Amino acid sequence: MFIAMNRFRVNPERVEEFEKLWLERETHLQGLPGFVEFHMLRGPSEEDHVLYASHTIWRSREDFDAWTHSEAFRAAHANAGQSRREGLYLGPPKFEGFEVIQTISEQDHA
C-alpha cells in the first residue's frame, strides 16, 4: 500500500475559499486502477496559515505513479495554477509519499 500526501499552508483569511475549491472539484479518482481512498484533512491553525493535507491511499506505488502520468491526473490538476488563487497558499504544496510497512485495524481484534 502507498499513501500520497500533499501539505498545504493556506492563508487563514481564505480558508472557506480553499475548502470550497476542494469540496466542489472533480477528483477523477474513482475507478482508477489501485485507487483505494481519498481524504482532505484540516490541521492546526497557526498565526500565518491553516495546515491542510490531501491523503490518498493507493494499492501500490506503481498504481500511484501510473495515475500521475494519466489523463485523469492532468484533468484533476488542470486548474491548479489559476491566478485567482494567488495569495491563497503560503508557498507550493509539499508532497510526501509513504510505503505502508504496518497496518492495524479494528477487524484485527475480531
Side-chain angles (χ1 to χ4, degrees):
M1 194 174 316
F2 183 77
I3 297 175
M5 295 181 69
N6 277 296
R7 292 176 180 250
F8 302 89
R9 295 181 306 141
V10 176
N11 179 337
E13 297 174 3
R14 298 185 62 189
V15 163
E16 286 183 31
E17 177 184 353
F18 175 81
E19 289 185 8
K20 185 175 193 261
L21 284 168
W22 279 88
L23 294 172
E24 294 179 354
R25 83 192 217 307
E26 176 59 48
T27 66
H28 300 276
L29 291 168
Q30 293 86 351
L32 290 173
F35 170 71
V36 177
E37 201 167 56
F38 173 84
H39 302 271
M40 175 52 80
L41 311 171
R42 182 186 319 121
S45 297
E46 302 291 334
E47 190 173 309
D48 66 338
H49 72 276
V50 178
L51 184 64
Y52 286 84
S54 63
H55 178 270
T56 311
I57 301 172
W58 295 87
R59 185 180 55 213
S60 69
R61 172 71 189 236
E62 292 76 23
D63 289 322
F64 169 76
D65 288 340
W67 174 67
T68 64
H69 295 95
S70 72
E71 191 58 42
F73 180 87
R74 285 185 284 285
H77 295 85
N79 297 321
Q82 287 184 341
S83 61
R84 69 183 174 102
R85 296 187 185 164
E86 187 172 322
L88 182 64
Y89 305 104
L90 276 62
K94 177 170 177 30
F95 174 78
E96 299 168 315
F98 299 90
E99 296 284 346
V100 175
I101 63 168
Q102 181 183 31
T103 301
I104 300 171
S105 69
E106 182 64 28
Q107 291 81 16
D108 295 337
H109 271 269

